[in-house]
């Protein structure tokens, strides 16, 4: 039996072992924490002692074609809070929010959720930052950030776009090229010109339309020189910018083009040699019944040549021309002119429009589409259509980005290279269309688009909008448009004007043509384009324009043979899937009418159109001069008189053109058959004359 001393020693050894084991555990734990967990605790310490704030780098600068800054980045102060350092979090956040103009409840909730960091006044103005700094509040700190600044404000807002608070692009070029601009100090050059953009913005502002679009384009390269929308926004004022304001109507809106689409109908028929500008059609006093649907013109028309159908915007005449084309050929030209597909312009949100495939056309689709119904286009597609005629029949894709270059100290020249292009119609057909489009301005529904010192050409359009509430056409909301180019024989600029729901007058010739006149006049003069017409006395121009009565400029039809645009595009009714009716068997109203087309050529001047009457008409009576109407002033013609090239060989025609100081464009071979402009016309020196030769 052990003695007391041994028991004491045993207990002492046990205690020593326990202490040794405890010491070893402590050492092992220290080794584990100091060696194996060093990295983990170091990161935790950094997280507790330091704050990591992600600051976006300055974005690249955006310039217009002349090197003017449209978007740039400035360094500004932002205020943030460290909630763990603030003794009275609620009171401090309430005070800061009142100064910064923010909702204190939202800011406080953010600070409670993030104990170490939260923004309280991000990218605030200088006065707000100075007031916060003067308070010297504990836990409130400041940090420099890059803020996007738009020196032109509303100018080109829909083109340039804007960025969000985190520096990411939300619309326009800022969004389309976000990866290119984000955090890179390079430059992006646009094709737009700030001066021409300003002309467009100012003139759009003076209209009384709910919304609208103006596009200014170079028809030979596809460069967009200006693109303006209404309503507009200031990208510097983030608080008042709504998603609806960010919508770019020029590329995202779809509308029925109305009578501007007659350009497609008539040019296709001319290209297929199914008619000519002087062939006379009986417009049946503005009324036709097609497949049980009565279609009326805005005013009655009798006999009109093809150029008169375009100038007076006769729907009856356009339908008869389209019936000669037939469904398949008509649809082929619709696609060739770029409708139903995106143009490829470098802006986000572009629509392809609404163009039903051929197998979904109804029995009345060809009639409806021929006059611009039952098809949807965008404003940029309309501008491309007009550019095709101005560019000798070659469709070219519109472009708005000239290029991007790395940062450099000196000036840099960037060459603009046209994108995709293809021929739609021949040069001769394009020349015929340009001549007929000029008559729209001089004698038709576009008389308010006449310019001072420049020839111009274009087409008006008016279409009723679809009421979303009823799905039917509205009787009070219209889209009025005018699109054209100038000068006539050497087009330099295309301008398209589309006004949505204008207050009061709403026809394209009444509201859009005057806007075209004002913008085109300023653009041509800013480009120093030489005048191709003598400048008439100002009072004569004012008298001629004022005497163009608004009732004479109507071009819309009150009837709608097809389905409303949205309905037509989504309908699955079996009627739309039926085979198209052959063009040779239209159902036309019966009665004593003259034949649909008189094929003998007539003079291109309306004053020389023979007064052909129906056989059942009464004996002719002497024509009385009207007591009211439009007065067309006969201004003395200048320039070179175009000689006749008909019957001449190519060599003889070239020599005659050189002697006259004209530029001859030869189409075909053999002897001259047709020419445009016609012999006897007066054109500026160096103008182009298209002559078609044949054997």
């Amino acid at each position: 039996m052990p003695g007391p001393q041994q028991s004491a020693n045993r207990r002492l050894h046990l205690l020593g072992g326990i202490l040794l084991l405890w010491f070893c555990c402590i050492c092992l734990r220290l080794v584990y924490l100091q060696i194996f967990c060093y990295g983990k605790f170091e990161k935790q310490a950094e997280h507790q002692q330091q704050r990591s704030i992600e600051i976006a780098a300055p974005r690249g600068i955006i310039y217009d074609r002349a090197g003017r800054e449209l978007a740039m980045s400035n360094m500004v102060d932002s205020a943030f809070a460290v909630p763990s350092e603030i003794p009275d979090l609620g009171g401090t956040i309430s005070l800061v929010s009142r100064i910064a103009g923010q909702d204190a409840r939202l800011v406080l909730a953010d600070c409670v959720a993030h104990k170490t960091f939260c923004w309280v006044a991000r990218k605030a103005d200088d006065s707000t930052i100075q007031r916060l700094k003067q308070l010297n509040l504990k836990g409130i700190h400041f940090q420099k950030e890059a803020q996007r600044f738009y020196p032109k404000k509303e100018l080109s807002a829909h083109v340039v776009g804007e960025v969000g608070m985190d520096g990411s692009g939300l619309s326009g070029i800022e969004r389309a090229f976000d990866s290119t601009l984000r955090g890179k100090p390079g430059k992006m050059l646009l094709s737009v010109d700030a001066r021409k953009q300003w002309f467009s913005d100012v003139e759009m502002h003076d209209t009384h339309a709910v919304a609208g679009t103006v596009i200014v384009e170079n028809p030979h390269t596809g460069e967009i020189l200006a693109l303006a929308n209404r309503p507009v926004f200031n990208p510097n004022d983030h608080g008042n910018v709504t998603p609806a304001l960010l919508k770019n109507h020029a590329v995202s809106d779809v509308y029925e083009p109305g009578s501007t689409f007659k350009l497609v109908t008539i040019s296709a028929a001319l290209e297929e040699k199914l008619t000519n500008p002087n062939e006379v059609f009986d417009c049946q006093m503005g009324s036709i019944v097609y497949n049980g649907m009565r279609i009326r013109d805005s005013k009655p028309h009798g006999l009109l040549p093809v150029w008169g159908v375009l100038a007076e915007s006769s729907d009856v005449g356009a339908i008869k021309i389209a019936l000669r084309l037939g469904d398949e050929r008509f649809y082929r030209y619709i696609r060739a002119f770029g409708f139903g597909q995106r143009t490829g312009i470098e802006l986000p949100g572009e629509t392809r429009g609404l163009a039903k495939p051929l197998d979904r056309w109804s029995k009345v689709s060809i009639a409806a589409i021929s006059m611009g119904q039952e098809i949807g286009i965008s404003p940029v597609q309309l501008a491309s259509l007009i550019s095709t005629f101005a560019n000798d029949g070659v469709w070219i894709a519109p472009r708005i980005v000239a290029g991007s270059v790395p940062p450099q100290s000196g000036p840099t020249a960037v060459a603009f290279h046209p994108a995709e292009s293809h021929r739609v119609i021949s040069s001769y057909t394009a020349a015929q269309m340009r001549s007929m489009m000029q008559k729209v301005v001089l004698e038709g529904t576009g008389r308010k688009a006449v310019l001072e010192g420049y020839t111009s050409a274009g087409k008006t359009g008016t279409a009723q909008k679809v009421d979303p509430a009823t799905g039917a056409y509205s009787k009070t909301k219209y889209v009025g448009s005018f699109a054209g180019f100038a000068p006539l024989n050497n087009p330099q600029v295309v301008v398209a004007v589309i006004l949505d729901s204008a207050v009061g007058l709403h026809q394209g010739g009444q509201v859009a043509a005057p806007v075209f006149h004002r913008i085109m006049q300023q653009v041509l003069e800013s480009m120093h384009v030489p005048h191709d017409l003598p400048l008439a006395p100002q009072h004569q121009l004012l008298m001629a324009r004022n005497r163009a009565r608004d009732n004479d400029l109507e071009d819309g039809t009150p009837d709608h043979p097809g389905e409303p645009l949205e309905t037509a595009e989504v309908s699955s009714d079996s009627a739309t899937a039926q085979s198209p009716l052959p063009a040779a068997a239209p159902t036309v109203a019966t009665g004593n009418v003259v034949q649909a087309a008189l094929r003998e050529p007539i003079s291109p001047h309306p004053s020389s159109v023979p007064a052909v009457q129906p056989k059942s008409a009464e004996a002719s009576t002497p024509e009385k001069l009207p007591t009211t109407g439009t007065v067309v002033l006969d201004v003395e013609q200048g320039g070179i008189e175009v000689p006749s090239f008909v019957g001449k060989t190519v060599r003889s025609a070239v020599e005659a053109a050189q002697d006259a100081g004209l530029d001859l464009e030869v189409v075909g071979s053999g002897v001259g058959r047709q020419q445009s402009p016609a012999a006897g016309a007066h054109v500026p020196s160096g103008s182009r004359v298209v002559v078609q030769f044949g054997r």
Side-chain angles (χ1 to χ4, degrees):
M1 181 173 180
Q5 185 63 34
Q6 289 180 340
S7 297
N9 291 337
R10 190 180 295 112
R11 288 194 295 271
L12 184 60
H13 291 157
L14 180 61
L15 179 60
I18 293 173
L19 291 175
L20 180 62
L21 180 62
W22 177 77
F23 180 76
C24 291
C25 291
I26 294 290
C27 292
L28 291 174
R29 179 63 177 172
L30 290 175
V31 170
Y32 173 76
L33 295 176
Q34 292 291 329
I35 297 177
F36 295 100
C37 297
Y38 174 78
K40 175 182 176 182
F41 288 116
E42 184 181 36
K43 291 180 180 180
Q44 289 182 353
E46 290 179 356
H47 180 71
Q48 294 173 355
Q49 300 170 11
Q50 302 178 9
R51 288 172 294 276
S52 178
I53 305 174
E54 183 178 351
I55 303 298
R59 295 169 67 90
I61 303 176
I62 301 177
Y63 296 91
D64 80 339
R65 65 186 302 111
R68 306 180 185 94
E69 293 174 332
L70 300 178
M72 55 192 297
S73 296
N74 294 331
M75 300 305 294
V76 298
D77 280 310
S78 293
F80 66 92
V82 180
S84 58
E85 298 178 358
I86 301 176
D88 182 11
L89 182 60
T92 301
I93 295 302
S94 178
L95 177 60
V96 171
S97 298
R98 283 200 303 270
I99 296 175
Q102 298 189 37
D103 190 335
R105 293 173 298 178
L106 296 178
V107 177
L108 181 60
D110 186 37
C111 291
V112 171
H114 305 86
K115 297 291 186 181
T116 59
F117 175 86
C118 68
W119 293 107
V120 292
R122 193 170 188 185
K123 300 179 182 180
D125 56 78
D126 291 339
S127 60
T128 299
I129 294 298
Q130 289 302 321
R131 291 181 62 186
L132 292 178
K133 286 183 176 180
Q134 291 174 359
L135 292 176
N136 195 23
L137 297 172
K138 187 176 181 181
I140 302 298
H141 307 273
F142 302 91
Q143 173 66 46
K144 290 284 186 181
E145 279 194 288
Q147 182 184 40
R148 205 59 163 164
F149 175 66
Y150 303 91
K152 303 297 183 183
K153 299 180 180 178
E154 293 90 352
L155 198 72
S156 299
H158 286 98
V159 174
V160 178
E162 73 157 358
V163 299
M165 192 63 71
D166 60 351
S168 60
L170 298 179
S171 65
I173 294 297
E174 296 277 27
R175 177 179 176 182
F177 292 87
D178 186 58
S179 58
T180 303
L181 295 168
R182 183 189 288 269
K184 297 180 181 179
K187 307 173 185 177
M188 175 159 287
L189 306 181
L190 304 184
S191 64
V192 298
D193 185 289
R195 290 187 63 193
K196 298 175 181 60
Q197 186 72 41
W198 185 80
F199 297 152
S200 304
D201 279 353
V202 169
E203 299 302 337
M204 280 287 293
H205 181 72
D206 293 339
T207 65
H208 299 287
V210 174
T213 297
V214 169
I215 298 175
V216 182
E217 181 177 349
N218 182 330
H220 306 296
T221 63
E223 294 173 277
I224 300 297
L225 305 178
L227 189 155
N229 288 306
R230 287 287 170 183
V232 75
F233 65 94
N234 183 354
N236 294 317
D237 187 7
H238 301 285
N240 293 321
V241 178
T242 63
L245 290 176
L246 292 177
K247 182 181 180 181
N248 190 339
H249 299 278
V251 298
S252 299
D253 272 2
V254 176
Y255 74 101
E256 288 188 343
S259 294
T260 55
F261 208 75
K262 292 184 176 78
L263 295 169
V264 178
T265 306
I266 295 176
S267 63
L270 292 175
E271 182 69 12
E272 293 293 324
K273 310 298 186 210
L274 299 174
T275 186
N276 64 76
N278 296 326
E279 183 181 0
V280 177
F281 280 80
D282 178 18
C283 296
Q284 303 176 190
M285 299 311 295
S287 178
I288 186 175
V289 176
Y290 180 70
N291 281 300
M293 300 289 296
R294 179 171 294 279
I295 304 167
R296 295 167 294 172
D297 284 334
S298 59
K299 52 183 175 288
H301 298 294
L303 298 178
L304 288 177
V306 172
W307 65 261
V309 170
L310 187 68
E312 296 295 338
S313 202
S314 170
D315 294 322
V316 175
I319 291 171
K320 291 187 174 183
I321 294 173
L323 291 176
R324 288 191 183 178
L325 268 173
D327 295 4
E328 293 185 4
R329 281 189 293 193
F330 192 19
Y331 181 73
R332 187 170 70 246
Y333 279 94
I334 290 173
R335 299 291 294 182
F337 276 110
F339 298 108
Q341 52 201 319
R342 295 183 178 90
T343 64
I345 191 171
E346 307 95 328
L347 289 171
E350 184 187 8
T351 177
R352 60 170 54 91
L354 298 173
K356 294 191 299 184
L358 196 58
D359 59 2
R360 293 180 56 194
W361 282 27
S362 69
K363 292 181 178 181
V364 296
S365 288
I366 189 170
I369 296 174
S370 69
M371 56 185 183
Q373 296 179 8
E374 207 175 295
I375 187 168
I377 71 172
S378 67
V380 73
Q381 289 176 335
L382 176 63
S384 297
L385 170 66
I386 304 301
S387 294
T388 303
F389 301 121
N391 194 34
D392 280 339
V394 177
W395 182 92
I396 189 166
R399 289 290 177 265
I400 204 165
V401 175
S404 58
V405 294
Q408 298 181 19
S409 57
T412 303
V414 176
F416 183 90
H417 300 286
E420 175 194 354
S421 64
H422 62 267
R423 179 166 292 281
V424 182
I425 55 178
S426 66
S427 297
Y428 187 76
T429 301
Q432 290 178 313
M433 291 300 299
R434 290 196 296 270
S435 178
M436 289 192 294
M437 292 168 71
Q438 183 188 29
K439 295 182 185 299
V440 175
V441 174
L442 295 179
E443 306 170 27
T445 58
R447 278 169 281 180
K448 290 194 174 182
V450 173
L451 304 176
E452 291 94 350
Y454 298 102
T455 53
S456 60
K459 184 68 186 80
T460 58
T462 306
Q464 287 178 271
K465 295 181 63 178
V466 175
D467 188 343
T470 62
Y473 284 99
S474 170
K475 298 186 181 302
T476 58
K477 302 296 183 182
Y478 298 83
V479 176
S481 59
F482 184 91
F485 55 85
L488 177 67
N489 289 313
N490 187 22
Q492 297 295 306
V493 178
V494 165
V495 174
V497 180
I498 299 93
L499 300 179
D500 183 0
S501 303
V503 178
L505 298 175
H506 58 267
Q507 298 284 336
Q510 299 167 347
V511 294
V515 178
F516 168 90
H517 159 78
R518 296 192 295 268
I519 294 175
M520 180 65 84
Q521 191 75 41
Q522 295 178 84
V523 169
L524 291 175
E525 291 175 353
S526 70
M527 296 172 63
H528 306 291
V529 176
H531 290 164
D532 62 342
L533 284 179
L535 289 171
Q538 190 67 22
H539 70 278
Q540 290 184 343
L541 291 170
L542 291 174
M543 288 172 62
R545 192 172 293 115
N546 290 336
R547 287 173 181 170
R549 297 183 304 173
D550 290 325
N551 291 340
D552 295 335
L553 306 180
E554 295 181 355
D555 59 3
T557 175
D559 304 303
H560 303 278
E563 300 170 332
L565 183 60
E566 289 81 357
T567 307
E569 193 60 24
V570 301
S571 174
S572 59
D573 186 75
S574 59
T576 62
Q578 294 178 3
S579 300
L581 187 71
T587 303
V588 184
T590 60
N592 294 325
V593 296
V594 299
Q595 57 186 355
L598 303 176
R599 293 187 177 273
E600 54 270 25
I602 64 171
S603 169
H605 299 288
S607 59
S608 61
V609 176
V612 181
Q613 297 292 337
K615 294 181 180 180
S616 60
E618 299 293 335
S620 60
T621 57
E623 183 180 0
K624 296 181 179 180
L625 292 176
T627 58
T628 61
T630 301
V631 177
V632 179
L633 297 177
D634 185 10
V635 182
E636 180 182 358
Q637 292 183 316
I640 299 173
E641 182 176 349
V642 178
S644 175
F645 297 101
V646 176
K648 295 181 181 292
T649 64
V650 174
R651 180 173 180 177
S652 299
V654 171
E655 292 175 350
Q658 290 177 347
D659 293 340
L662 298 172
D663 180 19
L664 186 70
E665 180 173 336
V666 177
V667 180
S669 60
V671 297
R673 300 296 185 188
Q674 300 182 72
Q675 69 178 73
S676 180
H682 288 72
V683 298
S685 177
S687 296
R688 178 173 49 207
V689 178
V690 181
V691 180
Q692 184 178 36
F693 293 84
R695 298 187 183 278

